[in-house]
Amino acid sequence: MHTYEDDVVAWASEQSRLLRAGRFDQLDIDHIAEEIEDVGKSEQRELANRMAVLLIHLLKWTYQPERRGTSWESTIREQRRALARRLRKTPSLQGSLCDPDWWEDAWLDARTGAASEADIGFDVFPSSCPWSASEVLDQDWLPS
C-alpha cells in the first residue's frame, strides 16, 4: 500500500481503486478530504490569477494609452473568455466576485504586476479597483 507522503500519485491511484471496489474501510479518509478541499482552492486560485492578469492589462491600457495594441486587446479578450468559462463551469465561484476581500487581493496582485510590467510606481494606481465586476468582465468594455 502506498502512502500519501511517499508518492501522492500512486496513493491517489490506489485510493481510486479502493473507492471503486467499495473497500471503504481501507481508505485514507483524512488525506482524501484534504485533496478534495485542495481542488476547490485550486479553482479559486485559477480564478484569482486570471482576474489579476485581466486587471493588469486593463491598468496598462488605462495608464499607457500610447502603448495600446492588438496584443493587449487579445490578452484582455482571452482572459475574459477564460473567466467566463471558469464561472460557467464552476458557478459557486461567482460568490468571489461579490467578496470585497477577494477583490482586494486580486487588485493588489494586479497593481503589483502592472507596476512591474509597465515600470510605473505602485502608488500611481488607485488603492481599490475603480471598475465594477460587470465592466471588468464585459467583452466589449475598455477603460478610457
Side-chain angles (χ1 to χ4, degrees):
M1 185 171 264
H2 298 282
T3 66
Y4 181 83
E5 291 81 10
D6 292 336
D7 185 340
V8 71
V9 174
W11 170 87
S13 179
E14 191 167 89
Q15 295 301 303
S16 296
R17 186 181 53 74
L18 291 169
L19 272 167
R20 287 185 179 97
R23 297 171 67 186
F24 305 120
D25 60 318
Q26 295 180 19
L27 293 172
D28 182 355
I29 300 297
D30 288 337
H31 284 117
I32 291 172
E34 189 176 307
E35 287 297 313
I36 291 170
E37 288 170 345
D38 284 349
V39 168
K41 290 176 187 172
S42 175
E43 290 293 318
Q44 290 171 328
R45 277 191 303 275
E46 171 76 12
L47 184 73
N49 289 340
R50 287 202 176 272
M51 181 60 75
V53 170
L54 173 56
L55 292 170
I56 286 168
H57 281 78
L58 292 174
L59 281 169
K60 292 190 314 185
W61 185 269
T62 302
Y63 286 86
Q64 293 184 311
E66 72 284 357
R67 299 197 58 205
R68 292 177 182 169
T70 56
S71 172
W72 286 0
E73 281 186 84
S74 176
T75 298
I76 290 168
R77 271 195 309 279
E78 176 52 34
Q79 292 307 314
R80 284 177 170 157
R81 276 193 296 271
L83 283 160
R85 205 170 32 251
R86 176 83 38 226
L87 291 166
R88 194 172 47 255
K89 288 183 175 188
T90 314
S92 63
L93 291 174
Q94 285 282 350
S96 297
L97 300 178
C98 302
D99 180 350
D101 290 334
W102 185 87
W103 271 105
E104 186 177 326
D105 290 345
W107 185 248
L108 177 60
D109 290 347
R111 286 175 70 200
T112 302
S116 173
E117 288 183 25
D119 199 26
I120 295 175
F122 177 84
D123 291 329
V124 169
F125 303 121
S127 59
S128 61
C129 185
W131 310 301
S132 68
S134 60
E135 285 174 323
V136 169
L137 294 172
D138 182 339
Q139 274 294 351
D140 299 320
W141 179 84
L142 283 171
S144 314

